Amino acid sequence: MGFSLTGVGLTRANGFRALRGIDLRAAPGERVALIGASGAGKTTLLRLLAAALRPTEGRLQLLDSEPWAVRPAALRRLRARIGLVHQSAPIPPRQRVVTAVLAGRLGQWPLWRSLASLILPVDAEGACRELARLDLAARLYERCDRLSGGQLQRVALARVLYQQPELLLADEPVSAMDPTLSELTVALLNEEARRRGVTLVASLHAVELALRHFPRIVGVKAGSILFDLPAGEVSDALLRELYASDGEVPDREEIPLAGLPPLRCA
Amino acid sequence: MSPELAVADGTRRVLRDPAALPRLGWTLVAVLLLWPLLQLARFRPAELFDPANLAAMGQFLSGFLPPETSPDFLTLLGRATVETLAMATAGVALAVLLAVPLGLLLTRSLSVASLGPGRGGCFGAGLRILARGLLAVLRGVPELVWALLFVRVFGLGAAAGVLALGITYGGMLGKVYGEILESADALPARSLLEAGSGRLAALCYGLLPNAARELVSYTVYRWECALRASVVMGFVGAGGLGQLMDQSMKMLNGGEAASILVTFLVLVLAADGLSEKLRRRMA
């Protein structure tokens, strides 16, 4: 259970090395926060853990199976056991909230049940229960384009909660929420993982939020892991190193203008 | 005066849009290509306004007035209208049955293989080429030719028209369905596939909510086209208003032809209204 990555790397088709030499292991019930600058590879790492991307090197094991060695049907079943909360909610604007949440179990339902649910929601109660935890139960039958960005993000979260995955992944799950709501939502994710004993990996921009709620912090920088420490041992110096760009942060005056003279309109 | 730039080294350069010259070039190329084509097609609009030609047209058109309104003819017209509606509707229904599976095959955003591992991308790519080819054959042969073929099987009447419409329009709908689905936002369906959903479920939950309006309005538009196409097919004996029109024209009965044309106009307007209503309903 949990997952294990050994020497995992990913090189994009254009030759860009998005990730290299990643060694990461998590036991069931562990809660890990990924932090790091934009473009460091947090989203790519999460997509690898969701079996949505295939690593170009190394060994990847998710929930005790190797996603890229098994048959397509087995990969589908494995994917149904992994839930990823996307950075921008992948929900069609014209869909109703109830349908968007119930879509979490499409991987578990037979096709006839999925289609029947489009005509009459088969488990409105279940959807309502998850929405209630996020304080959105009143919007059950509303259309998603009537919601604010933060509400939509919570609907996407409710979908993954409804999926009841054994590996819970979240990519910037609170990027569109205010500080109070972010706090509550991150706490909810942690409580869910604790209660069901599942592994949780979440990437977060707000470092204090990560340090407060997650026992284990993984810092990602330029496609590899800079540190993997208990929250208590993450020092300010480490954080500065994590977020500094390569070398010194150049001052405004020092940015070379590639020899171009300043432009002025006559 | 074109805007100029004062550059520090003292030279002055005109601030010119780098896209302007290529745009001008392509416009000239288009005109140069179009001109010989117009010549080849013997398109001489001046002939339209030649007095002799105007008189000939006026004579032809005056034969259409007044429209025929005798009860006998109106009964005939009503029956032919219903037959045309039935032919167009049944033909488009058949076309949709053909188009949906083929259009889905074409849609790359529903490809599980692109998420890996599938049976390898080659299998899916081969299937897509096959479907694309089949659709091209279906719509490449004009419905008139199909109708001529099927009239020999089913005899004179609407059955041949239904089949001809179904095949040609199936080809058109399939191609456009595939393209509409592919241009809709692929992210929702993709995220569902990544969560283990099947292709059909991902289509219904991820793609259709965004694409349904386009799909419906294009299908209604094709139904309207089918109404008009049924006239042409009527001329080869495939029934409906077209056959009636053929008879009236052959008997040089302009009044009857005018009534049939008015009926067409009403049908096209009705299709337009229906499409508008459906689009608004689904907004």
Side-chain angles (χ1 to χ4, degrees), chain A residues 144-201:
Chain A
C144 286
D145 52 6
R146 307 241 186 283
L147 304 182
S148 73
Q151 287 171 330
L152 197 63
Q153 210 166 30
R154 279 182 287 157
V155 170
L157 184 58
R159 168 193 282 189
V160 176
L161 291 179
Y162 183 69
Q163 186 188 345
Q164 302 219 302
E166 292 161 51
L167 176 54
L168 180 54
L169 309 169
D171 189 6
E172 309 280 356
V174 294
S175 59
M177 299 181 200
D178 61 58
T180 324
L181 207 52
S182 301
E183 196 78 37
L184 285 173
T185 308
V186 171
L188 175 75
L189 271 172
N190 276 277
E191 184 231 274
E192 171 81 6
R194 252 199 310 266
R195 190 171 57 85
R196 295 190 32 243
V198 300
T199 313
L200 166 67
V201 183

Side-chain angles (χ1 to χ4, degrees), chain B residues 176-216:
Chain B
V176 178
Y177 282 179
E179 282 168 8
I180 291 177
L181 288 178
E182 216 158 79
S183 57
D185 180 14
L187 205 66
R190 200 184 154 88
S191 83
L192 290 172
L193 288 174
E194 283 173 13
S197 142
R199 280 171 51 117
L200 262 182
L203 167 82
C204 294
Y205 280 77
L207 274 182
L208 280 189
N210 281 334
R213 229 152 59 111
E214 287 304 305
L215 292 174
V216 165

